[in-house]
Amino acid sequence: MVILRSKELRDLSSTDLEAKLNELHAEYNTLISKGSVSGVDNPGKIRETRRTIARVLTIMNENKQQGE
C-alpha cells in the first residue's frame, strides 16, 4: 500500500476513511503474521503501516469532534 499523508486523508469522506482503516488493519495483520513466521523483507513497512493507521484514527477523531 502507498503511504497516505494527512492532506490526502483529510479529503476523504468518513466512509472512505473507515474502509481505508479496515484495509490498513488487514495489511498490518498480514505483515505481523508473516514477520513472526519467516521474517519480513522490509521491516520499515510494518512501522509505516502502523503510523498510517494512527493518522487515519486521528483524522477520524478530529472529524468526530467537529461534528461532521
Side-chain angles (χ1 to χ4, degrees):
M1 164 164 275
V2 184
I3 299 168
L4 298 171
R5 299 293 173 204
S6 296
K7 289 181 181 181
E8 298 167 353
L9 291 172
R10 290 184 197 284
D11 293 336
L12 297 175
S13 67
S14 60
T15 56
D16 291 337
L17 284 172
E18 289 178 19
K20 189 62 69 177
L21 183 63
N22 290 335
E23 183 180 328
L24 287 166
H25 275 297
E27 181 179 352
Y28 182 71
N29 289 335
T30 302
L31 289 171
I32 292 297
S33 63
K34 280 184 184 178
S36 64
V37 174
S38 63
V40 179
D41 294 334
N42 186 2
K45 188 167 181 156
I46 294 173
R47 181 179 183 189
E48 192 57 43
T49 304
R50 192 173 58 235
R51 287 182 174 189
T52 305
I53 289 171
R55 276 188 204 105
V56 171
L57 289 172
T58 300
I59 291 171
M60 288 174 71
N61 285 330
E62 287 174 356
N63 290 343
K64 184 190 260 185
Q65 288 179 355
Q66 292 176 357
E68 292 183 359

